Amino acid sequence: MGDGEIGLESAPGRGSRFGIRLPLALADPPADPELRVAEPSVFDADAPRVLVAKDNEVNQMVARRLLERLGCEVMVAPGGQEALHLALATHFDLMLLDCHMPGMDGLEVARRLRKSWGDATKVPMIAFSA
């Protein structure tokens, strides 16, 4: 491979300009024009319900969109207390609990839910943090 180049022009007070040129070949078109790539899905159940407990709004949005693309129904709790109330009132197939939220963090939510439910729960709880 060769014949590519990277360039840079810079002048104090005027700024910089970067450029790149790559010799790329065009891909062959698909054999079947009706062929479509299926959306990924890791769940067998219809629309599994997932609770996301996260205090940061941008990370809430990212988690929601990723999970919805996987076919999940997503509910978001902006804090631990809200997550605890939702979890006690609603059935979830999975809970993603932020480890670092102000007030009650996800680890405390998990402890309280396990204490409340005892051995009756099989709901996976995953601790995560941005």
Side-chain angles (χ1 to χ4, degrees), residues 18-126:
F18 302 88
I20 184 169
R21 186 175 64 89
L22 300 173
L24 302 174
L26 294 175
D28 292 330
D32 182 358
E34 296 298 315
L35 183 66
R36 295 190 180 151
V37 177
E39 286 294 317
S41 179
V42 296
F43 297 103
D44 293 330
D46 292 333
R49 186 173 288 155
V50 179
L51 171 63
V52 174
K54 184 74 184 146
D55 58 325
N56 180 285
E57 289 183 22
V58 172
N59 293 335
Q60 289 173 5
M61 181 187 66
V62 170
R64 176 189 292 277
R65 287 191 179 165
L66 287 172
L67 290 164
E68 286 175 346
R69 285 191 65 195
L70 292 171
C72 299
E73 178 185 331
V74 180
M75 294 182 78
V76 175
Q81 195 66 43
E82 296 88 349
L84 184 61
H85 289 298
L86 276 172
L88 290 170
T90 309
H91 169 75
F92 291 99
D93 299 297
L94 173 67
M95 295 183 207
L96 300 175
L97 307 171
D98 184 4
C99 299
H100 301 289
M101 291 185 290
M104 186 187 309
D105 64 18
L107 299 174
E108 182 62 24
V109 171
R111 279 192 280 282
R112 291 186 186 195
L113 289 172
R114 293 286 185 219
K115 185 176 181 182
S116 173
W117 291 333
D119 292 334
T121 184
K122 301 288 185 208
V123 178
M125 296 182 205
I126 299 174

